[in-house]
Amino acid sequence: MPKVLLVDNDQGHAERACGCLRFHNLEVDVCRAPERAVALLRRASIDYEVVILNVSDVLLPWFKTLARLQEACFQSRGYPSPLFLCSSSTKRSPEFELRIERMGARYVFEG
């Protein structure tokens, strides 16, 4: 069963997202704090297929957070193995979306 790491500080959103992911037979681990997710990704014994980062909060430094998560994967495996998906229930600017994509992650608006 594919493993997904959901990084989401919004408990209600995380619960809804977990329900959808588990409905599709995905195993989901949830981290409310990005620092905890970085620690998990640094452990080479845990392999995630996908890391989903909820970037809805417009006040947080998402580009730095995404870079730290990607770096943690690279440090533990030598290459960034999981796919990264940034999702947002807040409409973001095209510049924000493009910057996320240029960092190697996918972006999706949940509108």
Side-chain angles (χ1 to χ4, degrees):
M1 180 181 311
K3 283 188 84 164
V4 175
L5 177 61
L6 175 63
V7 184
D8 194 338
N9 63 359
D10 179 338
Q11 184 174 354
H13 182 269
E15 288 172 2
R16 289 187 301 277
C18 282
C20 290
L21 294 166
R22 289 182 178 130
F23 177 79
H24 291 285
N25 295 321
L26 298 170
E27 184 179 338
V28 183
D29 290 336
V30 179
C31 284
R32 295 191 39 107
E35 298 78 24
R36 172 87 172 107
V38 167
L40 274 176
L41 291 170
R42 282 195 175 132
R43 291 200 283 168
S45 62
I46 299 177
D47 280 330
Y48 292 102
E49 299 292 324
V50 179
V51 175
I52 301 173
L53 180 60
N54 178 4
V55 297
S56 297
D57 188 338
V58 297
L59 300 177
L60 295 177
W62 294 119
F63 304 120
K64 288 181 182 179
T65 301
L66 176 59
R68 286 180 38 232
L69 293 168
Q70 290 171 324
E71 182 182 327
C73 291
F74 185 78
Q75 287 176 345
S76 68
R77 293 169 189 81
Y79 59 93
S81 59
L83 300 173
F84 283 84
L85 174 66
C86 294
S87 67
S88 179
S89 56
T90 305
K91 184 67 176 157
R92 297 306 201 108
S93 71
E95 292 82 10
F96 181 91
E97 296 176 28
L98 190 57
R99 188 164 172 194
I100 291 290
E101 297 270 340
R102 284 186 176 144
M103 292 178 72
R106 298 287 183 193
Y107 175 85
V108 65
F109 173 58
E110 298 174 20

